[in-house]
Amino acid sequence: VQLVESGGGLVQAGGSLRLSCATSGFTFDDYAIGWFRQAPGKEREGVACMTDVDSGRYYTDPVKGRFTISYDNAKNTVYLQMNSLKPEDTAVYYCAADITVCTAVIGTGDSVDYWGQGTQVTVSS
């Protein structure tokens, strides 16, 4: 499985960004997919995950109601739409795939096998 993120950048608080993760070798038959993030000086934390194209979405409390995970089958790409961004959302965001992602997302993701390279999101106040 290969994962390549894009879409990070600098945005003002209250703004929006959409992250993309292009996948290859990924199928929901074998894996779940999700997003994690790591801020400077902090542990990596889960953000969101999904276990199927049309169902099985989970969001961690800090992003619930503001972020949306989705998957485009035609493009083999998972998205993270981030709205109402806050300075505390500043982090490197990683796409991750593994059968355990929707369990790992409540922790630091140490059990996850496949990771993208990360994309920086910076939210200014």
Side-chain angles (χ1 to χ4, degrees), residues 72-108:
D72 185 329
N73 255 335
K75 297 182 179 180
N76 295 322
T77 298
V78 62
Y79 300 100
L80 185 68
Q81 178 66 45
M82 306 185 295
N83 298 329
S84 302
L85 282 162
K86 305 175 182 180
E88 51 263 45
D89 294 317
T90 295
V92 178
Y93 283 71
Y94 297 92
C95 182
D98 193 273
I99 190 67
T100 69
V101 161
C102 280
T103 299
V105 76
I106 61 175
T108 60

Side-chain angles (χ1 to χ4, degrees), residues 51-69:
T51 58
D52 203 346
V53 174
D54 298 318
S55 63
R57 286 163 176 75
Y58 175 81
Y59 301 92
T60 56
D61 285 345
V63 307
K64 202 171 293 183
R66 300 188 297 123
F67 290 12
T68 303
I69 188 171

Side-chain angles (χ1 to χ4, degrees), residues 1-26:
V1 176
Q2 292 188 319
L3 308 169
V4 180
E5 301 100 331
S6 61
L10 174 64
V11 64
Q12 287 189 330
S16 298
L17 278 176
R18 188 178 76 161
L19 305 183
S20 301
C21 174
T23 74
S24 63
F26 171 82

